[in-house]
């Protein structure tokens, strides 16, 4: 029995390395198209505009100030600048690891790869991985899902997704502490991390046969956890900037506000087929693929739910991808949709409606889109 378990673990390690290798080969191809002299192992290539904010926070902390007072010029006197628009979970994790490595970029490089490995492990557990070809293809689909370049970039997507999956795993296996820990850290890692409470609360409500009292009782700890996460986030920012609303002051100039997203989303389709300008081609194609895929999964799983064929994981995953597609578009439009789409990875849990040929076709498409989006990232077209 021990020999079988050891052999199974060895097989999984080999498959894990293969999965990481394939995702890296796609990035290498994108990097090669940009500059043949650069190395995929050079941590500096993973730094774009926002990376500077995360690294600066890790090194010196937060700052929040009136733009005009520091830069002068044509800045609006009521406009605020600084790095308080970026959540603390990721940069403070870099800060912690940097105590041992003494290089902030190398620390982020290591952290992201560990998070990716953690993501694969959690997905394998949630899929009841058995080393079969079909389950391996699902893992491959996950590691090259739209926007996966941001799992390796100096950006908190891999960490956010890891803690989201950890929370989902804790919820499904009745480990409340794990559920709440994952939700707390997802909340402090990225602004959309707290959105997890929405599909999770809806799942609790549905699985308890629409009983409001039971749903409220089970959802309350989740709500308290999100509040604690946000309070921790804004408390850390206050410690450095003396503005408890520093995040909102800095974010206000990006014009993020709640609105109906459907006009912006439909624009992606018209841009793709009518007036594509070339520069936004890959990110537009990715958005169209994500929107179309989520819509198809939603329709199919609605029918399966009505026929009582949808299990709890599939229900949660369906509600999750709907929430994580619509909510970022509702607040920020297409400003950074290509990054937020990397959090749609839990779509792989809706695999029962995927035929093998569909999975194979998706892998091919994701490989091409992944390489081209990586090219856009390394060349600075997207940040």
């Amino acid at each position: 029995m021990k020999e079988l378990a050891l052999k199974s673990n060895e097989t999984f390690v080999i498959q894990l390395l293969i999965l990481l290798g394939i995702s890296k080969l796609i990035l290498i191809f994108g990097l090669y198209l940009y500059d043949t002299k650069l190395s995929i192992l050079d941590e500096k290539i993973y730094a774009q505009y926002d990376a500077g904010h995360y690294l600066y926070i890790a090194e010196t902390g937060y700052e929040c100030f009136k733009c005009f007072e520091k830069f002068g010029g044509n800045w609006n006197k009521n406009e605020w600048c600084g790095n308080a628009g970026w959540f603390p979970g990721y940069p403070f994790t870099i800060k912690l690891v940097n105590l041992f490595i003494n290089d902030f970029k190398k620390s982020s490089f290591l952290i992201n790869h560990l998070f990716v490995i953690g993501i694969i492990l959690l997905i394998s557990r949630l899929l009841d991985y058995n080393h079969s070809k079909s389950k391996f293809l699902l893992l491959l689909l996950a590691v090259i899902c739209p926007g996966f370049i941001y799992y390796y970039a100096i950006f908190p997507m891999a960490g956010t997704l890891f803690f989201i999956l950890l929370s989902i795993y804790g919820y499904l296996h009745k480990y409340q502490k794990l559920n709440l820990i994952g939700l707390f850290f997802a909340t402090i890692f990225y602004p959309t991390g707290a959105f997890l409470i929405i599909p999770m609360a809806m799942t609790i409500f549905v699985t308890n046969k629409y009983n409001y009292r039971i749903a409220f009782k089970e959802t309350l700890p989740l709500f308290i956890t999100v509040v604690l996460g946000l309070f921790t986030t804004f408390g850390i920012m206050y410690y450095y900037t003396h503005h408890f609303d520093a995040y909102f002051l800095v974010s206000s100039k990006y014009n993020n506000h709640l609105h109906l997203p459907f006009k912006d989303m439909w624009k992606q389709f018209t841009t793709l087929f009518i007036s594509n300008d070339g520069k936004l081609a890959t990110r537009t194609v990715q958005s169209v693929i994500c929107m179309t895929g989520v819509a198809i999964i939603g329709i199919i799983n609605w029918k399966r739910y009505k026929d009582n064929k949808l299990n709890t994981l599939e229900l949660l995953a369906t509600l999750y991808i709907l929430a994580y597609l619509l909510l970022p578009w509702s607040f920020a439009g297409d400003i950074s949709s290509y990054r937020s789409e990397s959090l749609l990875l839990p779509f792989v849990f809706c695999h029962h409606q995927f035929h093998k040929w569909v999975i194979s076709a998706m892998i091919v498409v994701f490989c091409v889109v992944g390489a081209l989006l990586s090219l856009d990232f390394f060349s600075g077209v997207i940040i």
Side-chain angles (χ1 to χ4, degrees), residues 148-168:
F148 81 93
I149 172 63
Y150 286 96
Y151 299 159
Y152 298 101
I154 300 178
F155 211 78
M157 305 316 276
T160 304
L161 185 57
F162 170 79
F163 287 115
I164 285 173
L165 291 173
L166 185 69
S167 183
I168 291 173

Side-chain angles (χ1 to χ4, degrees), residues 259-310:
H259 65 285
L260 289 174
F262 303 109
K263 184 178 180 180
D264 289 337
M265 296 172 76
W266 175 246
K267 186 178 178 182
Q268 299 301 300
F269 288 87
T270 58
T271 301
L272 178 66
F273 294 112
I274 298 175
S275 59
N276 198 333
D277 63 3
K279 291 182 179 179
L280 300 181
T282 305
R283 58 178 283 191
T284 304
V285 169
Q286 176 177 289
S287 291
V288 168
I289 289 171
C290 289
M291 287 186 278
T292 304
V294 170
I296 291 171
I297 291 173
I299 293 170
I300 292 174
N301 279 353
W302 170 252
K303 186 177 184 303
R304 295 183 69 227
Y305 169 73
K306 297 295 285 185
D307 294 337
N308 294 316
K309 295 180 179 179
L310 206 63

